[in-house]
Amino acid sequence: MQGCDGFGCKLAGKKVIKEDTGEKEEIKMVFLDGQIMDFADNIEAVKQIKKKIVKTLSGGSLDPEIVIQAADRLAADIMSGRSYMADGEWPAISRDYPPASFAGYFTADSLRKKRRLELPEIPDCPEEGKRFFREPLGVLLHIASGNAAGLPAYSVLEGLLAGNINILKLPSGAGGLSLYILKKLTEYEPRLKEYIYILDTPSGDKRVMEMLMRLAGGIAVCGSDETVRAVRESAPVNVKIIEWGHRLSFAYIADMNVPEVKLEGLARHIFSTNQLLCSSCQVVYLDTDNFEEVKKFGLRFSLVMEREGRRYGNPLFIRGKTAVERLTQKLELAGGTERNGKKGPAERYIYPAGHGSVTCINDSRLELSGQFGHVLVKPLPQKKIFSLYPCKRHLQTAGIYPESASLIKTLARCGLTNLCSLDNMGSFGILSSHDGTFALREYTRITEYKTGSGGGL
């Protein structure tokens, strides 16, 4: 077992030649004791992690202030330009998300506010002789998603703020940003080394995953329905599962006379996030059942999308994907599509919008768009909004116009957890709930102490 030098590398296995047989063998790379280590297999790595965890758990609690101070140093270095990746680039969460904005999530001021919001003090109940206090879950296993750079590291930071030991299972194909962030934290504050472990083990490695789950007091899983279902089926019954499943978001326009500036803000959100985040707009719903009005709006919005999209370049492979999708859509329009088991004319109309598109479809089904600037527009009269209720487990953000109390209340009852103005869908930051709850609250438990007669603490 030996350290791996350099930081720009990803946490990925490497091939070596076995001296005795000449066969190729993959060496597993694990982040342990603040450095990248080589292991013959992940099972041996998990055994070592277990020994260290037992020692850490018996040694007292983690002071959140040392976590905050280390994160604040990282934020300062990011904003000053001293803490970039090895190649001098900083992979942003989106193309409109510069390093300074990303650093804002790590400042001491932001993290202290986050703790006050999500972990408020619990008042004592003296008349019952009771005191309440919070404790971490102990060991938190993070099964991360790779839809946004750096988010796995932020999930670990939340676990640290709640006082947990954290084991991060990186998503397949993850870049080096999360590893970079967490390694930097252990450099700034060496006491964090025993609270952060990272493995790059595939989800299909059932033995290793089961070993990790047995170590955990909680599992924070972020991913598809299939990923969440697999964790539910595999996790021990005495382990808390915190589900951050994939969500869908949309815009809702109840007045066709929406100002141009609102549509411009929505278009920028669509292009800047590539529609890859849970809060990214996939569908624009209109308060109408008239498909001609939908098409009229689709044409208007396509012109806005084309104009705003010029600010954002798409990679070559995305442009190729777009060309294939447009050809497929044209063929469907020419020959009709299968709808409800019957073949008939396709109820859709496509407006090109630069390297994106606006597709009007005459149904109200919430679905994933083509992403990367390809948005759907559909009719959904307000009286039918509750047709979305069966999707409640997958709903997250709705950008609305106009902002009326009745519309906000209706959408909230449907299951939406984040509501905002039409041009503000990407505005939710560190002091925001996460899918209807607070992460730090989910990563802790409440312990109650009741005194005996005449006793006390």
Side-chain angles (χ1 to χ4, degrees):
M1 187 172 62
Q2 61 183 17
C4 173
D5 59 357
F7 188 95
C9 62
K10 298 178 183 179
L11 188 67
K14 61 182 180 181
K15 301 288 186 180
V16 298
I17 305 297
K18 296 173 69 175
E19 293 182 2
D20 52 346
T21 64
E23 297 177 353
K24 287 186 177 181
E25 180 182 42
E26 184 173 7
I27 298 297
K28 306 299 182 182
M29 310 296 284
V30 177
F31 184 70
L32 183 149
D33 286 335
Q35 58 183 320
I36 302 171
M37 311 290 285
D38 297 348
F39 282 87
D41 59 63
N42 277 324
I43 293 175
E44 177 59 31
V46 176
K47 289 179 179 178
Q48 288 215 22
I49 291 172
K50 181 179 179 180
K51 292 179 182 178
K52 293 179 177 295
I53 283 175
V54 171
K55 182 180 178 181
T56 301
L57 288 173
S58 63
S61 58
L62 174 64
D63 181 359
E65 193 57 31
I66 72 169
V67 178
I68 291 171
Q69 291 296 330
D72 194 59
R73 285 189 60 184
L74 175 64
D77 279 356
I78 292 172
M79 287 188 281
S80 68
R82 292 193 302 269
S83 190
Y84 281 8
M85 299 286 280
D87 58 4
E89 295 294 327
W90 183 267
I93 284 181
S94 79
R95 289 176 294 185
D96 252 8
Y97 213 54
S101 297
F102 187 71
Y105 283 77
F106 294 85
T107 64
D109 182 60
S110 294
L111 296 179
R112 289 189 185 113
K113 287 179 179 177
K114 182 179 179 71
R115 274 187 55 85
R116 287 196 297 269
L117 174 68
E118 301 190 21
L119 297 178
E121 288 189 13
I122 307 171
D124 294 338
C125 188
E127 63 272 21
E128 295 288 334
K130 291 182 180 180
R131 290 190 63 186
F132 303 92
F133 51 95
R134 298 184 190 276
E135 286 292 318
L137 297 178
V139 179
L140 189 58
L141 172 61
H142 303 259
I143 301 176
S145 174
N147 63 324
L151 288 189
Y154 195 75
S155 181
V156 170
L157 178 62
E158 290 178 317
L160 291 169
L161 289 172
N164 292 288
I165 298 169
N166 299 267
I167 304 173
L168 171 61
K169 192 204 87 66
L170 283 174
S172 59
L177 182 55
S178 285
L179 177 59
Y180 179 80
I181 290 170
L182 296 175
K183 189 172 189 298
K184 278 292 183 184
L185 291 180
T186 61
E187 290 175 2
Y188 296 139
E189 177 47 77
R191 284 176 288 181
L192 295 179
K193 291 179 181 179
E194 57 185 305
Y195 289 90
I196 302 173
Y197 302 94
I198 310 175
L199 292 91
D200 187 26
T201 189
S203 298
D205 192 339
K206 292 186 177 180
R207 186 177 175 190
V208 170
M209 291 303 298
E210 287 173 359
M211 291 175 69
L212 292 173
M213 290 180 185
R214 286 198 298 269
L215 279 177
I219 302 172
V221 53
C222 181
S224 64
D225 289 355
E226 291 73 23
T227 299
V228 172
R229 187 178 299 113
V231 171
R232 282 181 182 172
E233 294 172 352
S234 304
V237 294
N238 61 340
V239 175
K240 180 179 181 180
I241 300 175
I242 303 101
E243 300 175 8
W244 308 121
H246 283 174
R247 299 292 192 268
L248 291 175
S249 298
F250 59 86
Y252 191 87
I253 297 176
D255 183 349
M256 296 297 185
N257 295 316
V258 53
E260 197 84 352
V261 66
K262 294 286 186 180
L263 296 181
E264 289 169 351
L266 178 61
R268 285 193 293 271
H269 160 77
I270 289 170
F271 282 113
S272 68
T273 65
N274 277 328
Q275 297 168 279
L276 294 176
L277 305 182
C278 290
S279 59
S280 297
C281 178
Q282 308 296 334
V283 179
V284 178
Y285 283 120
L286 304 178
D287 183 11
T288 182
D289 54 10
N290 185 331
F291 193 51
E292 291 303 313
E293 288 188 4
V294 174
K295 291 196 296 183
K296 182 179 178 180
F297 173 85
L299 174 60
R300 179 190 174 192
F301 191 45
S302 71
L303 299 177
V304 176
M305 287 278 288
E306 182 171 8
R307 187 170 64 247
E308 292 298 321
R310 295 191 188 111
R311 300 174 56 199
Y312 305 91
N314 261 351
L316 183 60
F317 82 94
I318 295 297
R319 293 201 296 271
K321 174 177 176 285
T322 299
V324 172
E325 287 176 345
R326 283 187 182 169
L327 176 60
T328 302
Q329 290 171 334
K330 287 180 179 179
L331 291 173
E332 287 179 348
L333 285 170
T337 57
E338 295 286 342
R339 298 182 62 84
N340 301 321
K342 298 180 181 179
K343 188 161 184 172
E347 296 179 278
R348 62 174 61 194
Y349 207 89
I350 306 165
Y351 295 96
H355 54 70
S357 67
V358 176
T359 301
C360 301
I361 305 177
N362 197 16
D363 67 42
S364 299
R365 185 168 65 93
L366 180 61
E367 59 183 306
L368 188 67
S369 69
Q371 301 178 304
F372 301 98
H374 300 277
V375 68
L376 309 178
V377 179
K378 299 188 176 194
L380 180 62
Q382 285 199 50
K383 61 185 178 183
K384 295 183 179 179
I385 281 181
F386 273 93
S387 65
L388 297 175
Y389 183 74
C391 304
K392 59 186 180 298
R393 290 286 295 169
H394 293 103
L395 299 178
Q396 195 205 67
T397 302
I400 61 176
Y401 180 84
E403 299 167 52
S404 70
S406 61
L407 181 56
I408 290 172
K409 191 68 175 177
T410 298
L411 290 170
R413 293 206 313 271
C414 279
L416 274 299
T417 60
N418 297 81
L419 298 163
C420 60
S421 62
L422 186 67
D423 56 344
N424 215 18
M425 290 189 68
S427 66
F428 296 98
I430 188 170
L431 301 180
S432 299
S433 60
H434 189 171
D435 294 344
T437 186
F438 289 127
L440 301 193
R441 198 167 297 180
E442 296 293 330
Y443 296 165
T444 57
R445 55 185 170 83
I446 295 174
T447 299
E448 172 185 323
Y449 176 80
K450 184 172 183 178
T451 65
S453 57
L457 282 178

